[in-house]
Amino acid sequence: VKLNSYDCDLDLRLSKCGLEARDMVEGGFSLCWAGVRATAGVCEGRCWFSMQVGHALKDPRQSSELLEHIDHQCRIGVSTADVLPRCLGEVDKSFAFNSTGHVVTCAHRQDKP
């Protein structure tokens, strides 16, 4: 199972091996969500997935005052095939964990478990 280059947002770069993704911060897209799906899905039963954040990417063109008011996050989760990858946790057919430890679904953040 790899990251699917045919089912990802255009402002996301995938590695040739398909196991790494990088936002196009250098291209001015640092305030946009970017998402990607895996090459395989699950119809029933249990699944396991993981993500590792290598390092935070910085956009040198943004002022420090602007960055103080922005909540940068990563999300990992599941959705149905008709949900856009960048909408993970924002609509009713998706469920995500964000990098602050909260559960997000239907655009509502639940308290930490």
Side-chain angles (χ1 to χ4, degrees):
V1 177
K2 298 180 181 181
L3 299 175
N4 189 346
S5 61
Y6 295 103
D7 195 5
C8 73
D9 291 318
L10 295 175
D11 57 333
L12 195 68
R13 294 183 188 150
L14 302 182
S15 64
K16 289 183 182 180
C17 67
L19 298 176
E20 298 176 8
R22 183 182 178 118
D23 192 337
M24 292 177 62
V25 171
E26 300 87 10
F29 292 98
S30 60
L31 300 180
C32 298
W33 281 103
V36 61
R37 265 192 262 275
T39 55
V42 177
C43 293
E44 61 182 294
R46 296 178 182 204
C47 67
W48 176 84
F49 48 86
S50 66
M51 173 181 71
Q52 179 179 0
V53 177
H55 62 278
L57 302 175
K58 307 265 188 230
D59 186 348
R61 292 171 293 180
Q62 290 181 355
S63 68
S64 58
E65 295 84 23
L66 174 65
L67 292 175
E68 289 176 9
H69 302 289
I70 296 174
D71 184 19
H72 292 284
Q73 298 179 13
C74 290
R75 288 186 180 169
I76 186 169
V78 294
S79 70
T80 56
D82 60 331
V83 174
L84 294 172
R86 70 176 162 269
C87 295
L88 188 62
E90 296 298 316
V91 295
D92 62 348
K93 295 180 182 178
S94 67
F95 175 86
F97 294 98
N98 69 16
S99 54
T100 61
H102 292 91
V103 174
V104 183
T105 188
C106 297
H108 291 100
R109 186 178 79 180
Q110 300 173 7
D111 290 331
K112 296 179 185 180

